[in-house]
Amino acid sequence: MAEKSVVGFPNFQDIEFALLDQNGDTRHPGDFAGEPIALFFGFTYCPDICPTTLMTLTAIRDQLTAEGKATGHLQILFMTVDPERDTPTQLNAYLSLFDTGVTGLTGARADIEAALRHFGVYANRTDDSDEYLYDHSAAVYLYRKDGSFKGTIVYNEPSEYMVEKIKSIL
């Protein structure tokens, strides 16, 4: 008998987690149900890709709002790959720099690793010093309001493509 394998990206609602947001509140996948999601994995000590991606996502949301699109229901989620340093307090301070509604998610290492596996995200600590970095997947996962996977935005993708992709889940 042939083994059945899952191909492609998982739907958002197919994961179970209990993670803390930047306010210290426990969040579950159901908390994000019914609205579109742009999910990004990163860490607050990232020197370039993570802040650039968050700035890009918030700029696209601002641009679409200025064009008259309803974007208030778009949920931008930032899940850490570095839960040891990215506490709720650290996430709160970091996300406040972006002046927009981004929800940060952190938790116990085992819970974060389970989420990374579920979404097929690569994350690897680069060294053992106190100022370590992570090599990690830099795609933004896009989910429709029903939690089904729509597609990804890849780092350095042309802006007009990113805008169209965000529009497609609104």
Side-chain angles (χ1 to χ4, degrees), residues 17-46:
F17 63 71
L19 298 173
L20 297 176
D21 68 14
Q22 70 268 30
N23 300 314
D25 297 325
T26 301
R27 305 297 296 268
H28 300 88
D31 296 339
F32 306 105
E35 301 297 347
I37 297 168
L39 172 63
F40 179 66
F41 296 85
F43 62 111
T44 64
Y45 290 85
C46 179

Side-chain angles (χ1 to χ4, degrees), residues 25-27 38 45 49 51-52 80 83 86 98 104 109 114 129 137 148 150 156 168-169:
D25 297 325
T26 301
R27 305 297 296 268
Y45 290 85
I49 293 173
T52 300
T80 187
D86 288 345
F98 297 95
R109 168 56 66 191
S129 73
S137 303
S148 63
K150 171 64 175 155
N156 276 341
S168 76
I169 63 170

Side-chain angles (χ1 to χ4, degrees), residues 8 14 21 28 48 57 66 80 120 131-132 144 152 154 158-159 166:
D14 293 342
D21 68 14
H28 300 88
D48 47 25
L57 288 172
T80 187
E131 296 183 25
Y132 59 89
R144 298 174 186 95
T152 60
V154 296
S159 176
I166 295 287

